[in-house]
Amino acid sequence: MTRISAKRDDLIALTQDLVRIPTLNPPGENYREICEYLKDRLEARGFAVELVRAYEAPGDCEKYPRWNMIARLEGPRSGECVHFNSHTDVVEVGHGWTTDPFGAELKDGKIYGRGTCDMKGGLAASIIAVEAFLEICPNFAGAVEISGTADEETGGFGGVAYLAQKGYFAPERVQHVIIPEPLQKDRICLGHRGVYWAEIETHGEIAHGSMPFLGNCAVRHMGAVLTEMEDTLYPALAQKHTAMPVVPERARQSTMNINSFHGGQAEPEAGFTGLPSPCVPDSCRMVVDRRFLIEENYEDVKQEIKDVLEVVKSRRDGFSYDIRDMMRVLPSMTDKDAPVVGSVARAISEVLGKEPEYVVSPGTYDQKHIDRIGKLKNCIAYGPGLLELAHKPDEYIGVDDMIDAAQVMAKCLMELLKPE
Ligand SMILES: [Zn+2]
C-alpha cells in the first residue's frame, strides 16, 4: 500500500492538529471543537456526519458538554459495516514533561504530546486508512463508520455507552468494530478483565485523642480490615490464574488495588500552618479496585470482600461497616474465530510479515459498552503505539508505527468490504 506511505505528511499533520486541541478529561474540554474538526474533514470525503451530545451523562453540562462524532459512508453496493471507534479525550498532563504537551512536536520520527499514543495517533491512522481505502476501492460493498467519542478515560458513559444506548452500536447497523487503542501494531487485543470498585467504610465514635478509650477508632478498624486482606484475600487472589492472554503477564491473575484510604480529619489546605486537633476518627473510608477474570463470577468477587469484613466483625468489639458498590464491568473477550480478528490477523501477517500476538488488556476500555449494551461481539482493539507510554510524561507516537497500523487497517477493509 504505497498509497498510505504517500500520505505520511497528511498523517503527521492530522495527528498534530488533533493533539493541539486539548481535550482534557476531566473536566471534558473542547469536545465540540474536536468533533467539528473531524466533521469538516470527513464531510469533505463524502461522509454523513452526526454530532451527538450525551445529555445528562455524568459530567455533561453547559460548560462541558459531552459531544461525540459519528461519520458513516455507504458504499455503492450493499454489505457489512466496519466501524473504527476512537476516544477523543486525554488524561491530565502531570509533571515531568520535556516537550510541550499540546505542541505535537515532531522529532526523530515521533510526535510528542498528551494523547499522541492514547489515542489520537490511532484515530489519525484509522482516518488515513479509510481515506486510502476509499481512493483505491470506491466501488466497495457495505459501509464504513468512524467515531470520535467522549469520556473513555472516565468510563465512557458520555461516549460509547451513550451511543450504544441510542442504537449506534447495534448489530443491525454495525458488524465489525476496531478500536485503535495503543495495543501495538502487531497485537490484537481481544478484550479486558472485569472491574469491581467498592467503597468500604468503617464506623467509630469521636472522642478526645488523649482518652481514646472513650471513643472508637474507625482507622484502627480499617487497619484490621487491611491486615485480614493481606493475610487471606491477597494470597487467595494470587492463586487465581486465567487462560486470558493478559499483558503484562503479571496481570494474568486476580488483582486488587487500594485506590484510596481516608480516615480522621481532612487534609489541611495548602499553606495552613496550624496543628490538627486531637480527635478519635469516627469514620474511615477505603476504595478498592478489584480486577477479575473471565473464569470468576461477579457475585463471588463481591462476596469475598464481604467475607473479609465479616471475619473482622466477628473478632473485634465495636466494629461496624458499610460497603457501597461504585462500579462494575464484566470481563469481555471476543472469540479468536470472530471475523474481524481473522481479517486483522491476516492483514498483520501480510504487512508486517509475522503472526499477530493475541492479548487481553488488564484494564477496561470502551469494548465493554459495545459488548454489553451494543450486544456486538465482533469487536477488538487494534492500533499503533505502546501501551506503556499512555498517561506518561513525554508520551509519543511513532510515525512509522502509525503508517504500518494504517496499512493493516486498510487491508482489513479491503477484505471485509469486498471491493470488485
Ligand atoms: Zn485510550
Side-chain angles (χ1 to χ4, degrees):
M1 295 275 269
T2 51
R3 191 169 294 255
I4 284 178
S5 307
K7 289 180 182 289
R8 189 182 183 92
D9 291 346
D10 191 7
L11 174 61
I12 291 168
L14 172 58
T15 308
Q16 288 177 320
D17 283 353
L18 293 169
V19 172
R20 287 170 185 155
I21 304 172
T23 43
L24 287 163
N25 179 34
E29 287 173 0
N30 300 307
Y31 285 159
R32 177 89 200 190
E33 286 71 9
I34 202 161
C35 286
E36 293 281 357
Y37 176 90
L38 293 167
K39 179 176 190 265
D40 288 348
R41 176 158 186 132
L42 294 169
E43 272 183 350
R45 270 84 176 165
F47 279 80
V49 179
E50 281 178 82
L51 297 195
V52 178
R53 177 173 164 185
Y55 284 99
E56 285 162 33
D60 182 70
C61 59
E62 285 312 309
K63 193 168 181 203
Y64 301 113
R66 276 30 211 175
W67 283 103
N68 296 281
M69 187 283 318
I70 303 130
R72 183 178 173 101
L73 183 69
E74 297 280 348
R77 296 178 297 126
S78 65
E80 298 187 324
C81 172
V82 179
H83 183 117
F84 291 94
N85 165 253
S86 297
H87 65 85
T88 56
D89 58 326
V90 302
V91 296
E92 64 177 292
V93 170
H95 299 288
W97 287 77
T98 62
T99 57
D100 175 358
F102 299 107
E105 187 188 345
L106 175 67
K107 210 168 51 184
D108 303 326
K110 296 169 180 161
I111 301 170
Y112 287 84
R114 179 51 87 225
T116 46
C117 167
D118 185 12
M119 58 173 293
K120 288 171 174 176
L123 170 58
S126 67
I127 291 172
I128 293 292
V130 168
E131 289 174 354
F133 167 74
L134 295 174
E135 286 166 20
I136 303 163
C137 312
N139 191 30
F140 68 98
V144 192
E145 289 189 347
I146 298 174
S147 61
T149 52
D151 287 356
E152 190 276 340
E153 298 289 1
T154 50
F157 301 101
V160 169
Y162 187 86
L163 295 180
Q165 277 153 8
K166 298 283 172 199
Y168 286 97
F169 287 98
E172 307 80 60
R173 176 185 164 121
V174 177
Q175 283 73 43
H176 310 269
V177 180
I178 297 174
I179 303 176
E181 287 274 10
L183 266 307
Q184 218 165 291
K185 63 185 178 185
D186 53 359
R187 286 171 164 183
I188 295 175
C189 181
L190 301 170
H192 51 73
R193 298 188 301 174
V195 184
Y196 171 54
W197 278 11
E199 184 183 64
I200 298 164
E201 180 170 9
T202 50
H203 304 292
E205 195 186 334
I206 193 164
H208 197 288
S210 68
M211 297 169 285
F213 43 83
L214 296 179
N216 184 10
C217 183
V219 172
R220 288 184 63 192
H221 287 315
M222 194 63 93
V225 172
L226 264 184
T227 302
E228 182 61 22
M229 284 177 168
E230 294 290 353
D231 290 348
T232 61
L233 184 57
Y234 276 105
L237 298 186
Q239 296 305 313
K240 297 187 193 205
H241 296 279
T242 181
M244 298 172 101
V246 189
V247 286
E249 234 173 274
R250 291 175 67 191
R252 281 180 201 179
Q253 62 162 65
S254 305
T255 60
M256 189 172 81
N257 179 44
I258 307 292
N259 211 49
S260 62
F261 192 106
H262 297 282
Q265 285 161 40
E267 291 280 318
E269 278 174 38
F272 177 75
T273 56
L275 295 168
S277 61
C279 287
V280 176
D282 59 2
S283 162
C284 186
R285 286 173 295 118
M286 180 166 88
V287 173
V288 295
D289 174 356
R290 172 75 160 84
R291 303 294 168 131
F292 63 101
L293 314 170
I294 211 151
E295 294 86 350
E296 289 184 283
N297 178 298
Y298 171 65
E299 294 305 326
D300 295 344
V301 166
K302 275 175 73 165
Q303 191 57 44
E304 274 172 354
I305 292 175
K306 257 199 122 168
D307 288 348
V308 167
L309 293 161
E310 287 296 324
V311 165
V312 178
K313 189 176 175 177
S314 70
R315 289 185 193 152
R316 286 180 77 86
D317 288 338
F319 181 92
S320 70
Y321 70 91
D322 282 314
I323 181 161
R324 284 182 286 276
D325 297 347
M326 298 174 75
M327 184 166 68
R328 177 192 86 152
V329 177
L330 296 176
S332 176
M333 191 160 75
T334 296
D335 205 75
K336 237 173 116 175
D337 300 329
V340 74
V341 178
S343 177
V344 172
R346 282 185 288 279
I348 288 173
S349 67
E350 260 184 73
V351 172
L352 301 172
K354 61 188 286 200
E355 292 309 307
E357 188 187 343
Y358 297 92
V359 299
V360 162
S361 168
T364 72
Y365 53 94
D366 278 332
Q367 183 166 335
K368 58 182 175 271
H369 301 306
I370 292 167
D371 174 354
R372 300 286 161 187
I373 308 172
K375 306 265 181 284
L376 230 158
K377 304 289 174 196
N378 191 26
C379 174
I380 56 164
Y382 172 76
L386 305 172
L387 195 56
E388 295 75 18
L389 298 173
H391 303 195
K392 299 268 288 179
D394 287 341
E395 178 185 347
Y396 69 81
I397 185 84
V399 177
D400 288 340
D401 287 351
M402 283 197 288
I403 299 257
D404 286 344
Q407 288 188 333
V408 169
M409 293 173 194
K411 279 225 184 295
C412 174
L413 286 170
M414 294 182 73
E415 185 183 297
L416 293 172
L417 300 181
K418 305 188 176 57
E420 279 175 338

